[in-house]
């Protein structure tokens, strides 16, 4: 009986969820609902050029692995997806979601002995390094009151809190100094990092706007920030449809200096990006 009751409750929840989603998209597609709920979705690609170092259970600065000079980590181009929802309720924050995978692989020959994960890797031997830094952004924000209205829509400023969840994985393979055997040590951690968030859009004319955002936090031995700035071409006023496509190109810079759970990094990742999306 309990199982039957649980199945009925699950079915009821599914129906309510589908009904709610259907109502939201119906409102979003309605011309009357335009001032009430605004959606924005975009997807594209971003260059990721890493610089800096990474270490795990390092005993000294000598155990830091330079990702470019030692491991020769190559530049990557990865997808970047973003979603944004704004509503007119003053107390409840608006929300932005974003996902960006980040993974680098490289190899080289160690010029010195390296301590990684409690084991000593032999100098003058081949090694491979893999670093993954996938992240999910969940941003709760508000629009500065009256600015958009006072500027007739030419300026919009947002402020709030961004929680960036980083899925870190660092793996080093090489030759152990003591035994001369091939070894591999890895470390995985998930870090939810709260960051202050500030964003702005300047639209001198309806079809062109300058966009930018900044996320920042500094505490203890950790400093983490990123900024992005871009040029957006809008179809506003050109198409008489609820969907308003746009194209955005720009530049993004990220600095990740962390000291958590025996993992130390001081990484910089930068590159150009391009996005296509719609507002509705």
């Amino acid at each position: 009986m309990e199982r039957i009751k649980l199945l009925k409750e699950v079915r009821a929840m599914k129906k309510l969820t589908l009904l709610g989603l259907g109502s939201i998209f119906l409102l979003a597609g309605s011309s009357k609902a335009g001032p009430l709920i605004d959606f924005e979705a975009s997807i594209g690609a971003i260059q990721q050029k890493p610089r800096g170092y990474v270490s795990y259970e390092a005993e000294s600065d000598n155990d830091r692995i330079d990702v470019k000079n030692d491991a020769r980590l190559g530049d990557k181009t990865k997808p970047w997806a973003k979603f944004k929802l704004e509503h007119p309720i003053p107390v409840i924050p608006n929300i932005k979601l974003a996902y960006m995978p980040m993974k680098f692989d490289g190899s080289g020959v160690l010029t010195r002995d390296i301590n990684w994960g409690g084991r000593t890797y032999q100098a003058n031997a081949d090694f491979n390094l893999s670093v993954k830094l996938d992240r999910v952004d969940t941003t709760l924000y508000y629009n500065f009151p009256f600015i958009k209205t006072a500027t007739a829509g030419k300026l919009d400023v947002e402020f709030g809190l961004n929680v960036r969840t980083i899925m870190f994985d660092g793996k080093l393979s090489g030759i152990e100094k003591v035994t001369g055997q091939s070894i591999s040590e890895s470390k995985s951690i998930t870090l939810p990092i709260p960051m202050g968030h500030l964003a702005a859009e300047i639209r001198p004319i309806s079809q062109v706007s300058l966009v930018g955002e900044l996320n920042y936090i500094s505490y203890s031995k950790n400093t983490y920030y990123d900024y992005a700035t871009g040029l957006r071409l809008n179809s506003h006023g050109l198409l008489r449809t609820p969907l308003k496509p746009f194209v955005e190109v720009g530049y993004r810079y990220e600095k990740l200096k962390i000291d958590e759970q025996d993992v130390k990094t001081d990484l910089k990742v930068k590159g150009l990006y391009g996005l296509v999306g719609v507002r509705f």
Side-chain angles (χ1 to χ4, degrees):
M1 295 295 293
E2 291 294 331
R3 186 177 179 182
I4 293 174
K5 182 179 179 182
L6 180 60
L7 288 172
K8 289 182 178 179
E9 290 177 352
V10 170
R11 289 183 185 133
M13 290 178 64
K14 286 182 177 179
K15 289 180 181 179
L16 288 173
T17 302
L18 291 173
L19 181 61
L21 289 173
S23 300
I24 289 174
F25 282 103
L26 182 61
L27 285 172
S30 169
S31 59
K32 294 181 179 180
L36 298 179
I37 299 177
D38 291 324
F39 289 88
E40 181 179 302
S42 59
I43 189 169
I46 181 168
Q47 293 178 332
Q48 297 171 347
K49 301 179 179 180
R51 301 291 186 274
Y53 74 84
V54 61
S55 66
Y56 172 40
E57 294 186 6
E59 296 179 358
S60 69
D61 290 349
N62 190 60
D63 298 324
R64 298 175 175 177
I65 298 178
D66 189 300
V67 299
K68 202 65 182 177
N69 296 323
D70 291 331
R72 296 180 294 186
L73 295 190
D75 301 341
K76 298 287 186 178
T77 299
K78 293 288 187 177
W80 190 13
K82 304 171 75 174
F83 175 83
K84 179 177 179 179
L85 182 149
E86 289 189 357
H87 58 79
I89 306 174
V91 179
I92 300 176
N94 303 306
I95 186 169
K96 289 192 281 191
L97 301 173
Y99 171 70
M100 181 193 297
M102 187 179 291
K103 187 175 186 296
F104 305 102
D105 297 283
S107 61
V109 177
L110 287 177
T111 60
R112 62 201 182 280
D113 292 343
I114 292 288
N115 290 302
W116 176 281
R119 307 179 79 171
T120 302
Y121 287 71
Q122 181 178 310
N124 302 316
D126 294 339
F127 78 97
N128 297 281
L129 177 67
S130 174
V131 178
K132 185 176 77 170
L133 291 161
D134 292 353
R135 73 278 315 282
V136 175
D137 287 310
T138 304
T139 308
L140 302 178
Y141 72 96
Y142 296 94
N143 299 86
F144 270 105
F146 312 119
I147 288 183
K148 194 171 184 178
T149 303
T151 60
K154 295 186 181 299
L155 175 63
D156 188 17
V157 181
E158 305 166 356
F159 67 97
L161 174 70
N162 177 39
V163 178
R164 175 166 296 162
T165 303
I166 294 183
M167 286 73 78
F168 171 87
D169 185 83
K171 181 179 180 180
L172 182 64
S173 302
I175 304 299
E176 188 174 30
K177 183 177 182 180
V178 177
T179 64
Q181 300 295 314
S182 297
I183 57 173
S184 181
E185 288 289 333
S186 62
K187 175 67 173 180
S188 298
I189 56 177
T190 299
L191 290 175
I193 303 175
M195 310 170 74
H197 176 76
L198 185 66
E201 180 176 6
I202 303 172
R203 185 179 292 187
I205 60 175
S206 297
Q207 289 77 36
V208 178
S209 58
L210 300 175
V211 295
E213 68 175 30
L214 169 69
N215 298 289
Y216 179 89
I217 189 171
S218 182
Y219 63 96
S220 185
K221 298 179 181 180
N222 302 276
T223 300
Y224 189 17
Y225 67 86
D226 67 87
Y227 65 83
T229 179
L231 174 69
R232 179 176 290 192
L233 302 178
N234 306 284
S235 63
H236 183 75
L238 302 177
L239 300 175
R240 297 182 177 275
T241 63
L243 297 178
K244 299 177 178 63
F246 64 84
V247 176
E248 181 180 324
V249 293
Y251 173 83
R252 185 178 183 276
Y253 177 93
E254 176 177 333
K255 179 179 176 64
L256 175 60
K257 184 179 181 181
I258 63 172
D259 185 354
E260 297 284 348
Q261 301 180 36
D262 296 321
V263 173
K264 293 183 180 181
T265 72
D266 190 351
L267 295 173
K268 303 174 184 67
V269 183
K270 58 184 178 180
L272 302 175
Y273 73 86
L275 296 168
V276 293
V278 291
R279 282 177 166 173
F280 54 97

